């Protein structure tokens, strides 16, 4: 049932009552007058996938509105209290996937923390949430993606089962996923600001990491140093590396210090926000440090109103890359400009 105009509550209730005993999937995005309590009607049935959008969820009673078969829950633009959200997860003993997109979470004056717990959750996607403190507790987490969120504190508690961690366009003062990173295989971070030492403490135990992407990331304590040596030593199994070149206050992110090679890296993605003469040198040095490279993708941002100087720099860079790649004929080259 998807955004088909407003239905009467009696019509929706009649349809749900007729189908609920055999219903496996329900995508509910339709306003009714008055509001229909989906949980009360579909609880204790065989529902496996439930997606609710642009509605309100109230008065959750896990003892009565229990979903014994539900594996996937999506709440998009839904109004729900922090307590009801917590109780709803408790009512889903087999839940594996949770998606929260721009929910309106009501928090009481005495409650400043949203704390969710589910021992079976494997995949979590959170988008457009603004909270003071958000705590997730699960012993089965494998995939976590935070997008476009504003959080004072985010904490993930559980066993070291996390394999995929992605965070983009998120503002968070305190991020803690340290308990879950021992088996991380993918870290993808973009449009994010964090203190490097804290971030390093979290991910340095991820010796099984295979893909690392740091794109448009600002480290507040950059003077502590972020270099290829650290990446090579901490992540010996890394085979896919993505870095965005940035020069700030005369210092360069992802410096070339050290001599350790990235032996297993076969795919290299490099980009810039502002191109300058040093970018070509940076690319060349990275190529030298990846002896088994098979593919390099170069991303660039080109302004619409290009000055003569910018055109000259871009032309010079293109010529230098053409000359450079003659030394690496076995490496596939791809350019992505926007």
């Amino acid at each position: 049932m998807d955004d088909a105009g407003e239905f009467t509550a009696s019509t929706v209730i009649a349809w749900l009552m007729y189908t609920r005993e055999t219903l496996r999937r329900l995508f509910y995005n339709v306003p009714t007058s008055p509001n229909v309590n989906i949980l009360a009607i579909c609880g204790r049935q065989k529902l496996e996938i439930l997606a609710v959008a642009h509605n309100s969820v109230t008065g959750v009673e896990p003892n009565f509105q229990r979903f014994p078969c539900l594996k996937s829950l999506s709440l998009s633009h839904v109004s729900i209290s922090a307590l009801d959200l917590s109780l709803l997860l408790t009512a889903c003993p087999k839940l594996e996937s949770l998606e929260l997109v721009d929910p309106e979470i009501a928090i009481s004056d005495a409650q400043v923390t949203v704390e969710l717990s589910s021992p079976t959750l494997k995949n979590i996607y959170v988008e457009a949430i603004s909270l003071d403190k958000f705590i997730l507790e699960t012993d089965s987490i494998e995939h976590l993606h935070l997008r476009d969120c504003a959080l004072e504190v985010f904490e993930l508690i559980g066993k070291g089962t996390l394999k995929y961690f992605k965070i983009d366009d998120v503002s968070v003062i305190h991020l803690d996923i340290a308990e879950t990173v021992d088996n991380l295989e993918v870290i993808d971070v973009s449009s994010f600001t964090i203190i490097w030492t804290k971030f390093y403490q979290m991910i340095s135990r991820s010796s099984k990491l295979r893909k690392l992407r740091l794109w448009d990331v600002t480290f507040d304590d950059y003077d502590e140093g972020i270099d290829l040596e650290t990446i090579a030593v901490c992540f010996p199994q890394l085979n896919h590396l993505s870095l965005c070149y940035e020069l700030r206050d005369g210092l360069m992110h992802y410096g070339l210090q050290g001599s350790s090679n990235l032996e297993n890296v076969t795919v290299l993605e490099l980009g810039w926000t502002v191109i300058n003469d040093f970018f070509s040198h940076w690319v060349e040095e990275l190529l030298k440090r990846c002896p088994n490279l098979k593919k390099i993708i170069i991303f660039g941002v080109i302004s619409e109103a290009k000055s003569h100087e910018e055109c000259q720099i871009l032309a010079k860079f293109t010529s230098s890359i053409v000359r450079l790649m003659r030394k690496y004929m076995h490496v596939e080259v791809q350019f992505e400009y926007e």
Side-chain angles (χ1 to χ4, degrees):
M1 306 183 70
D2 187 16
D3 197 19
E6 185 170 298
F7 285 79
T8 61
S10 58
T11 301
V12 173
I13 291 172
W15 184 87
L16 289 173
M17 293 294 288
Y18 179 75
T19 60
R20 66 177 184 169
E21 291 186 4
T22 57
L23 197 62
R24 294 293 190 275
R25 303 183 180 187
L26 175 59
F27 299 85
Y28 189 84
N29 181 17
V30 58
T32 60
S33 180
N35 188 55
V36 173
N37 190 333
I38 295 295
L39 305 185
I41 297 174
C42 296
R44 303 184 302 280
Q45 303 299 326
K46 299 177 181 179
L47 199 64
E48 296 177 3
I49 298 175
L50 174 61
V52 181
H54 299 96
N55 273 270
S56 60
V57 176
T58 59
V60 178
E61 298 180 30
N63 291 332
F64 302 100
Q65 299 166 356
R66 192 167 179 83
F67 293 85
C69 301
L70 197 69
K71 294 182 178 180
S72 176
L73 174 64
S74 174
L75 301 177
S76 178
H77 304 277
V78 166
S79 175
I80 188 170
S81 72
L83 177 59
D84 280 338
L85 181 56
S86 178
L87 291 174
L88 182 54
L89 295 193
T90 303
C92 306
K94 294 184 178 180
L95 191 65
E96 295 181 358
S97 178
L98 174 66
E99 181 178 273
L100 300 175
V101 177
D102 196 15
E104 182 182 339
I105 301 178
I107 302 175
S108 65
D109 293 338
Q111 183 184 24
V112 296
T113 301
V114 173
E115 190 167 355
L116 304 179
S117 178
S118 171
T120 56
L121 266 179
K122 294 181 179 180
N123 303 296
I124 301 173
Y125 176 79
V126 179
E127 179 180 345
I129 280 185
S130 180
L131 294 169
D132 288 341
K133 192 172 184 179
F134 192 15
I135 298 176
L136 288 172
E137 184 173 357
T138 173
D139 289 334
S140 305
I141 183 70
E142 295 180 1
H143 188 291
L144 173 64
H145 185 180
L146 303 178
R147 183 170 185 266
D148 192 23
C149 297
L151 305 167
E152 292 284 330
V153 175
F154 177 81
E155 186 174 350
L156 180 64
I157 301 172
K159 297 178 180 178
T161 56
L162 188 64
K163 295 181 179 179
Y164 179 98
F165 174 58
K166 182 172 183 178
I167 181 169
D168 57 276
D169 199 16
V170 171
S171 171
V172 57
I173 295 175
H174 179 74
L175 173 68
D176 187 0
I177 61 169
E179 287 189 13
T180 63
V181 301
D182 289 349
N183 291 295
L184 260 177
E185 296 180 3
V186 176
I187 294 177
D188 187 337
V189 182
S190 60
S191 302
F192 187 56
T193 299
I194 194 172
I195 296 174
W196 166 250
T197 49
K198 291 184 177 179
F199 187 66
Y200 174 74
Q201 288 170 3
M202 279 190 294
I203 68 172
S204 59
R205 301 205 319 264
S206 307
S207 59
K208 299 178 182 178
L209 198 70
R210 298 187 179 277
K211 180 178 179 180
L212 175 63
R213 183 174 184 267
L214 300 175
W215 211 266
D216 191 20
V217 178
T218 301
F219 296 110
D220 282 346
D221 56 344
Y222 175 73
D223 58 333
E224 292 290 333
I226 311 155
D227 52 61
L228 293 181
E229 184 75 14
T230 301
I231 293 174
V233 171
C234 287
F235 314 122
Q237 298 185 37
L238 197 68
N239 57 38
H240 191 139
L241 177 62
S242 304
L243 300 174
C244 184
Y245 169 86
E246 183 180 349
L247 194 68
R248 187 178 63 148
D249 299 329
L251 296 173
M252 184 182 64
H253 275 29
Y254 323 117
L256 302 170
Q257 297 94 327
S259 58
S260 297
N261 285 336
L262 297 156
E263 296 287 348
N264 292 311
V265 170
T266 57
V267 179
L268 192 60
E269 294 180 335
L270 304 176
W272 74 75
T273 51
V274 178
I275 192 171
N276 57 32
D277 292 336
F278 194 74
F279 182 72
S280 300
H281 172 68
W282 186 65
V283 173
E284 182 176 4
E285 291 301 315
L286 276 163
L287 281 169
K288 291 178 182 178
R289 303 281 284 273
C290 301
N292 296 303
L293 192 67
K294 295 180 180 179
K295 183 176 183 179
I296 181 172
I297 307 172
I298 296 176
F299 296 83
V301 178
I302 303 175
S303 60
E304 293 183 6
K306 295 179 287 295
S307 66
H308 177 70
E309 182 182 2
E310 288 176 318
C311 290
Q312 289 294 100
I313 292 174
L314 184 60
K316 186 177 179 180
F317 165 72
T318 304
S319 298
S320 66
I321 290 297
V322 170
R323 289 193 301 269
L324 176 63
M325 296 316 298
R326 287 172 183 163
K327 303 177 184 178
Y328 299 91
M329 298 296 290
H330 63 286
V331 177
E332 178 186 350
V333 186
Q334 183 177 330
F335 294 90
E336 296 282 348
Y337 289 159
E338 62 180 40

